[in-house]
Amino acid sequence: MSGQITISVWVLLILVAVAVWAILDRVLIPSTRWFLRRRINRVIDEISIRLDVQIKPFQITKRHVLIDRLVYDTQVVEAIQLQAVERHCPREVVQAEVVSYAKEIVPSFNAYLYFRLGYWLAKKIARLLYRVRIGLADNQEFAGIAPDSTVVFVMNHRSNMDYILVAFLAAEKAALSYAVGEWAKIWPLQTLIRAMGAYFVRRQSGNALYRRVLERYINMATKEGVCQAVFPEGGLSRDGRLRPPKLGIFDYMLRNFEPQRDRDIVFIPVGINYDRTLEDRSLLRALDPEAPKRSLWFAIRTTLQFIRRSVFLMILSRWQRFGYACVNFGTQISMRTYCQQNDIDFSRMDRAARFSEIEKLAVRLMSDIKQVVPVLPVSLVATVMRETGDQGLSAFEVEAHVNQLIEKLQDSRVPVYVTTRSRVQTILDALNMLKLRHLVVESDGIYKVAPEEYDVLSYYANSIAHWLDDS
């Protein structure tokens, strides 16, 4: 039989769409998933050979499995039931909220993106903007960490560049999982951040149910050995000084820690410093409660102008990097050893006693971070210029004062990073950087602090103020 059937164009389009979807669903998508999974597994096998801290099975578990595991965690289920009773609403309503929290928090780590795209991108950005250096790092100490331990890098928070810088410098040792604030929850950035293994945190949330879900995720990841990087200050330093530690995230990690049974938790202090922090003026502005709030459009416009000017300078071969960015790694603290030495079992303590001990630990960790915060050229020059006040100094006098300060700090075993190539040139470069940014002004060979930029100059001097305050 032969003949023709006439159908409407819209019916034909539907049939074609269904056929295309069937081909994608049954042939192309499974093949693509197989191809990508094969590439990811190859990267994991390759990376695992050289990493000091191995990728844990928890990190490569499918995201929807982790979400279900979190939602149906015993303590989360108890919290759901309690909330449902308190709010006089169906349990399903509260559980739906928990599911949304879990989807917001749980990452979707992709080893290929982390070590191929993320590492490459972080390296390019960090080296484009700064002369990146590792000041202190004991590779033997990293290698000596027990393979089943949970490693937690604990660091000061100077800039949002910290995420990029430390991820790049630690990529040869571990795949880090960060806690990232809500500022990054914009598409497509949030998708990339989740794929890099980071999880989102509502910093100021007072929602008890949300905090319980977050607590259980952090506790779960810690018990499963996920390598993490945390900022105990709880946010960026506004004035350049180190801030007091927040205790919440330490409590989440240690609340159920049993030294004799659980895998060890190893804290590694990390000190970060920059010759220039990209957000310095914005951070200082946040200290002024009367300063008018700037719109999102202002932030976007300012960022685009900065990028345009930088690209223009690159084309003219006049681009200069923002000085040094330096990271120091301190001596590790094993919680198993710490608990044994201090006769502590966090899992058996009530809340008051537990927080008291956690506060002692957090203070010690912040002290250890202070001991490894690198002293950089701009911080040194800014300190000298601030101390001179309105007096003013010649370039030769600035150099002499900085050298005296360096010797004083080195005598106290402070980690000063000044290149050995030419200390004089390094100091003059730092002075010139402050001059180009109009933080200091020069007249007839005499350098003085620009009065309207005193706070910005102090921001950089404050990054090493703890060394001078303790001396």
Side-chain angles (χ1 to χ4, degrees):
M1 295 178 62
S2 63
Q4 295 181 341
I5 299 176
T6 303
I7 61 174
S8 301
V9 174
W10 66 269
V11 175
L12 175 63
L13 293 176
I14 291 175
L15 292 174
V16 170
V18 170
V20 170
W21 173 252
I23 293 172
L24 288 173
D25 185 55
R26 298 298 179 181
V27 180
L28 296 181
I29 292 178
S31 300
T32 304
R33 284 175 179 166
W34 175 85
F35 175 77
L36 292 175
R37 177 56 59 186
R38 188 165 173 242
R39 296 292 294 270
I40 291 171
N41 289 337
R42 187 181 300 169
V43 169
I44 292 173
D45 292 339
E46 174 190 332
I47 295 301
S48 295
I49 297 173
R50 62 180 175 84
L51 288 181
D52 291 328
V53 181
Q54 299 296 311
I55 297 173
K56 299 299 189 291
F58 182 88
Q59 293 172 273
I60 55 178
T61 301
K62 289 185 178 180
R63 183 168 181 261
H64 69 85
V65 174
L66 296 180
I67 290 172
D68 287 344
R69 183 175 166 184
L70 181 57
V71 171
Y72 293 101
D73 175 82
T74 304
Q75 294 188 37
V76 173
V77 171
E78 290 176 358
I80 291 173
Q81 293 173 338
L82 182 62
Q83 283 279 317
V85 172
E86 289 179 353
R87 290 160 53 179
H88 305 288
C89 66
R91 181 179 178 278
E92 290 74 16
V93 173
V94 181
Q95 188 171 40
E97 292 180 18
V98 168
V99 171
S100 67
Y101 297 152
K103 288 181 178 179
E104 177 183 320
I105 294 168
V106 175
S108 55
F109 178 73
N110 185 307
Y112 188 86
L113 284 178
Y114 189 99
F115 288 102
R116 289 293 185 261
L117 175 62
Y119 173 74
W120 177 84
L121 194 61
K123 179 171 68 173
K124 291 296 183 183
I125 292 174
R127 288 182 170 172
L128 174 67
L129 297 178
Y130 298 99
R131 296 181 177 89
V132 179
R133 299 291 186 270
I134 296 180
L136 301 173
D138 189 341
N139 291 325
Q140 292 299 321
E141 186 164 315
F142 277 103
I145 296 174
D148 65 338
S149 299
T150 299
V151 177
V152 182
F153 292 89
V154 187
M155 60 193 75
N156 63 311
H157 204 0
R158 292 282 294 170
S159 166
N160 286 314
M161 268 296 298
D162 297 344
Y163 299 100
I164 295 174
L165 185 66
V166 177
F168 156 48
L169 293 178
E172 296 297 323
K173 304 180 185 301
L176 301 181
S177 177
Y178 281 103
V180 179
E182 291 180 283
W183 62 269
K185 287 181 61 179
I186 54 174
W187 189 90
L189 184 60
Q190 65 176 349
T191 303
L192 178 61
I193 287 174
R194 279 202 179 97
M196 298 294 287
Y199 57 95
F200 291 99
V201 174
R202 301 181 187 179
R203 300 286 184 189
Q204 304 299 326
S205 175
N207 185 324
L209 186 60
Y210 169 80
R211 302 303 295 184
R212 175 49 62 96
V213 177
L214 176 63
E215 172 214 324
R216 293 307 301 154
Y217 172 75
I218 294 175
N219 186 266
M220 189 185 301
T222 304
K223 282 189 175 291
E224 293 290 345
V226 176
C227 182
Q228 300 173 60
V230 301
F231 302 102
E233 296 167 284
L236 291 166
S237 170
R238 296 292 190 265
D239 60 0
R241 291 180 178 270
L242 293 171
R243 301 170 68 181
K246 304 288 186 181
L247 307 182
I249 197 163
F250 293 121
D251 182 50
Y252 293 166
M253 291 180 176
L254 298 170
R255 181 176 296 183
N256 300 312
F257 179 65
E258 299 180 47
Q260 305 302 327
R261 297 177 54 188
D262 292 339
R263 69 171 77 227
D264 194 11
I265 300 175
V266 178
F267 289 108
I268 299 178
V270 180
I272 307 172
N273 205 356
Y274 302 87
D275 270 339
R276 177 176 177 182
T277 303
L278 301 179
E279 314 93 327
D280 50 10
R281 297 180 191 276
S282 298
L283 293 171
L284 287 166
R285 184 182 177 83
L287 292 174
D288 184 2
E290 297 182 358
K293 291 186 177 180
R294 289 172 171 169
S295 65
L296 177 62
W297 167 241
F298 177 87
I300 295 173
R301 186 175 73 247
T302 304
T303 302
L304 291 176
Q305 288 174 349
F306 171 78
I307 295 173
R308 183 183 64 184
R309 181 173 178 274
S310 299
V311 171
F312 180 71
L313 291 174
M314 289 177 188
I315 294 173
L316 297 179
S317 298
R318 292 170 52 193
W319 166 259
Q320 293 184 14
R321 286 181 288 184
F322 302 143
Y324 290 101
C326 187
V327 175
N328 288 338
F329 295 88
T331 303
Q332 66 187 40
I333 298 177
S334 161
M335 287 312 300
R336 183 173 293 163
T337 303
Y338 180 89
C339 289
Q340 290 172 352
Q341 290 175 346
N342 295 277
D343 193 23
I344 295 172
D345 187 342
F346 291 105
S347 65
R348 297 177 181 231
M349 293 180 170
D350 59 35
R351 188 178 189 278
R354 188 177 69 249
F355 265 88
S356 176
E357 291 298 335
I358 286 175
E359 183 176 16
K360 293 177 185 177
L361 172 65
V363 168
R364 174 177 170 179
L365 286 169
M366 283 305 301
S367 176
D368 288 352
I369 292 171
K370 287 181 180 181
Q371 301 303 310
V372 293
V373 171
V375 177
L376 298 183
V378 165
S379 302
L380 292 165
V381 174
T383 299
V384 166
M385 294 303 301
R386 183 173 68 172
E387 289 177 350
T388 58
D390 298 331
Q391 177 182 349
L393 298 171
S394 66
F396 177 79
E397 289 172 324
V398 171
E399 178 202 336
H401 281 72
V402 170
N403 277 319
Q404 290 176 5
L405 182 56
I406 290 173
E407 291 172 5
K408 175 184 177 182
L409 292 171
Q410 287 180 335
D411 288 343
S412 301
R413 305 180 69 83
V414 173
V416 179
Y417 188 88
V418 178
T419 177
T420 55
R421 176 177 55 86
S422 172
R423 181 185 288 187
V424 174
Q425 189 60 48
T426 300
I427 295 171
L428 293 179
D429 287 345
L431 180 61
N432 186 54
M433 186 182 300
L434 294 177
K435 178 185 174 184
L436 289 174
R437 296 196 63 201
H438 309 292
L439 304 186
V440 300
V441 293
E442 183 260 337
S443 177
D444 296 328
I446 300 298
Y447 293 85
K448 294 182 179 181
V449 179
E452 65 278 9
E453 301 291 355
Y454 180 84
D455 288 344
V456 182
L457 186 89
S458 292
Y459 172 87
Y460 290 97
N462 286 341
S463 68
I464 64 171
H466 60 277
W467 289 115
L468 302 175
D469 293 342
D470 295 340
S471 63

